[in-house]
Amino acid sequence: MLVGAAVSGAVALVVGLAASCGPGGGEPDARPSSSAPAPVPAQTAAPVLPSGYSPTEPVLDDSFADPAAIKVGDTYFAYGTNGGDAMMPVATAPAPAGPWTRSPGDGLAALPAWAESGWTWAPEVVAPRREGDPYLLYFTARRRGADVQCIGIATAKSPAGPFLPRDGEPLICPEDLGGAIDAASFVEDDGTRFLLYKSDARATAAIYLVQLTSDGLELAAPPSRILGRGGDEPVLVEAPDLVKRGGKYVLFYSAGWYFKSNYQTRYAVASSIWGPYEKGAAPIQSTDLYGEKVEGPGSADVLSDGTRDYLLFHGITEYHGGSRVTRPMYVAPLGWDGTRPVVRGVPVRHEAEAGALNGCVSALPRPNASGGKAAGPFARGDCRVDVRVFAPVAGEYEVRVQYANRSGADSDLQLTVNGTAGATVKLGATEGADWTSVTAKVRLGGGWNTLGLGRLAGAGRPAGKGQIDYIEVR
C-alpha cells in the first residue's frame, strides 16, 4: 500500500505540473462533468482533432474500460476500470479527442478495509467546486466475505491522485439488491449533488438516483429507482451518466452484458431529475449501427470542452473467454438535436421518400426498399428530392445513396449541400430487384443540413433514370 501511494504521488506531481503550466497559470479551472457547454449554432467550425483520429478507432490501445473524464485547467484527465497493475488507471490529454497518454503508476493508492483487490470498477472523479476542497472519487469494489460489489469514496488533492479511500463502511451497498456498481455524479447549477448507480442483481438491475450532502461524502436522502430495463433491451441496464441539455435531463445508459457484442448505449429524457424518464426509440450506439467497426460500444460518459460535447466510451477489441475482454477507450464528438444525442461516427439513415419531392419525383411503393417506398423516377432535368440530415458537428461526411436504376442506362444526379453544388453522383444501371449504393464526400455544418439530389440532363449526359431508397450520412 505504501509503495502504491508513493507511485501515485509521483504521478500526481508530474501530471499536476502539466495541469498548472497551461496559459494563464494560477488556480486550475475545475468544472463538474455535468456542466453544459455553450450553445453551438449550426454551421460552426469543425472541432480540432489530432492527426490520424477516427471516432471508430481507440484513443488508447490498451484496455481502459468504463472511462470517465474531467477537465482541469488545460488538461483532460480520464479514469478507467482496473487493469494491468493499476486499480485505477489514469490518462491525460490536451484535448478531448487526444492524443491521450496513459500515466504511470496507479491513481488509487489503496483500498478500504471492506474492499477486496482486483475488482475496482467504473471510477467517477468529481472536481472541487471551491478552492481547498478535495477531488472526490466514487469507485466500485467487491466487498470482502460477500459476493456483492459496493460503492466507496476516496479523496485527493490532485486530479491525478493519489486518491486515498475513506475508512468505515461503503457509501452505497444495497445487499438486498445484489450490491451497487457504476457510480456517476451529477451536480445541479445550485450546487446540489446527486449520485446515480446501478443495482447489481440481474433480476432487479435498475438505475437509482440519490441526493448527497453538500460535500458529496454522505447520502442526504433515500435513493429512488428511476429507470429499469425495457422489453427490447438486452439482459439489463447499467452505466448511467446524466447531463442537462435543452432544459431537460438526458440520461445515458448501457444495455446488455459488457462482454458481448450486443452491448449498446441508449438514452432517456425527463423534465425532472427524478423522472419519469422517457426512453429514446432505439440505441444511439451499437455494433450494428457502427457496421461492426466498433463492437459492443457502451459505458458512455459525456465530456464538455466548454464549447461542445464529446462522448467517451469503450468497445471490445479482443475476447479472452467468458467475461474477459479487452475494452479500450474511444472518443467521439457529440451533437444535440434538441435533447436527442447524435454521435459522430454512427451512420444515420434518412428515407428519401420522406424528403421534399418536387412533383416530378414521387414516393413509389417498393416492397424491397428499406421503408417500403422509394423516391423517383429521376426521368427529367427538373426531377429533384431534398432531404434534411443532421450532423453532430461540422466536418467532412460520407453520404451513401442507396438506389436502383433499371432503365438500362446510367443516370447522373447533382448532389447539393444547403443549396450549393457538392458532387456528381452516378446511378449506374442495375438489374433485377436488388438495390446498390454509391458514395460521395461532402462537408456539412454542425446541426441540420439539406442534401439535394437533382437530375443532370442535357447533351452528353446519360439518359437513364433511377430511384432513391435512402440517404445515409456517416
Side-chain angles (χ1 to χ4, degrees):
M1 291 169 56
L2 291 175
V3 172
V7 173
S8 297
V11 176
L13 176 61
V14 173
V15 185
L17 287 172
S20 63
C21 291
E27 185 67 21
D29 175 21
R31 301 176 181 173
S33 60
S34 58
S35 61
V40 181
Q43 318 308 324
T44 54
V48 177
L49 302 172
S51 176
Y53 164 82
S54 167
T56 59
E57 294 291 333
V59 295
L60 288 168
D61 292 334
D62 295 332
S63 189
F64 203 93
D66 304 310
I70 61 172
K71 180 184 180 184
V72 181
D74 295 321
T75 303
Y76 293 84
F77 295 80
Y79 312 89
T81 281
N82 60 230
D85 58 354
M87 290 185 290
M88 185 180 72
V90 180
T92 61
W100 285 90
T101 302
R102 186 161 173 161
S103 303
D106 196 331
L108 181 57
L111 288 174
W114 60 262
E116 182 180 334
S117 63
W119 299 86
T120 313
W121 295 71
E124 171 82 337
V125 173
V126 184
R129 296 180 64 85
R130 298 176 304 180
E131 184 177 355
D133 286 351
Y135 290 84
L136 302 180
L137 164 63
Y138 301 98
F139 64 92
T140 300
R142 175 166 290 187
R143 186 158 200 164
R144 289 185 182 276
D147 189 21
V148 296
Q149 297 193 100
C150 309
I151 294 171
I153 298 180
T155 60
K157 296 180 180 179
S158 161
F163 283 87
L164 298 174
R166 186 178 63 165
D167 292 332
E169 290 296 301
L171 176 67
I172 299 171
C173 194
E175 295 195 20
D176 58 325
L177 297 175
I181 67 171
D182 295 346
S185 170
F186 180 84
V187 182
E188 282 281 22
D189 293 337
D190 64 2
T192 305
R193 294 179 182 265
F194 296 88
L195 201 69
L196 300 98
Y197 63 91
K198 170 217 170 183
S199 58
D200 203 26
R202 174 179 173 179
T204 57
I207 305 301
Y208 283 77
L209 176 72
V210 63
Q211 184 174 338
L212 302 176
T213 54
S214 60
D215 59 8
L217 296 175
E218 303 288 348
L219 305 187
S224 295
R225 183 182 185 273
I226 61 170
L227 192 83
R229 172 182 173 264
D232 63 337
E233 295 171 333
V235 186
L236 50 79
V237 294
E238 62 180 15
D241 190 57
L242 185 66
V243 296
K244 198 172 185 179
R245 299 292 183 268
K248 303 278 188 176
Y249 296 88
V250 183
L251 174 61
F252 291 79
Y253 65 97
S254 296
W257 293 122
Y258 69 86
F259 52 88
K260 293 192 175 183
S261 63
N262 67 346
Y263 200 59
Q264 57 195 240
T265 303
R266 292 181 171 247
Y267 77 103
V269 180
S271 297
S272 164
I273 192 171
W274 300 107
Y277 283 86
E278 182 179 352
K279 295 183 177 182
I284 58 171
Q285 289 183 301
S286 70
T287 301
D288 289 341
L289 286 175
Y290 276 109
E292 300 187 355
K293 289 184 177 180
V294 180
E295 194 161 353
S299 198
D301 180 74
V302 178
L303 173 64
S304 172
D305 67 0
T307 301
R308 56 174 54 86
D309 286 329
Y310 296 80
L311 201 65
L312 279 66
F313 59 99
H314 68 229
I316 302 170
T317 55
E318 295 180 73
Y319 293 88
H320 306 288
S323 62
R324 295 179 299 113
V325 289
T326 299
R327 295 173 292 162
M329 183 175 83
Y330 297 74
V331 178
L334 174 66
W336 295 92
D337 173 18
T339 56
R340 180 177 71 95
V342 184
V343 185
R344 182 73 161 105
V346 176
V348 179
R349 180 175 298 185
H350 304 269
E351 297 294 337
E353 68 274 9
L357 312 178
N358 71 348
C360 174
V361 172
S362 60
L364 307 171
R366 292 292 182 265
N368 60 338
S370 69
K373 293 182 180 180
F378 290 80
R380 304 194 309 266
D382 60 340
C383 293
R384 181 179 180 85
V385 59
D386 290 297
V387 179
R388 294 186 74 221
V389 302
F390 188 86
V393 293
E396 186 176 73
Y397 290 78
E398 182 181 271
V399 174
R400 177 171 174 253
V401 180
Q402 182 85 346
Y403 77 93
N405 178 10
R406 303 177 183 91
S407 63
D410 294 347
S411 177
D412 286 346
L413 301 184
Q414 177 71 66
L415 174 63
T416 61
V417 180
N418 301 319
T420 302
T424 299
V425 175
K426 183 177 292 293
L427 308 185
T430 62
E431 296 181 0
D434 292 337
W435 297 82
T436 189
S437 64
V438 61
T439 62
K441 292 196 174 180
V442 299
R443 293 198 66 83
L444 301 178
W448 284 102
N449 300 260
T450 298
L451 294 181
L453 284 168
R455 170 74 182 272
L456 287 171
R461 291 288 183 184
K465 306 173 184 179
Q467 304 165 18
I468 305 299
D469 183 1
Y470 60 79
I471 295 173
E472 191 173 77
V473 177
R474 59 175 70 195

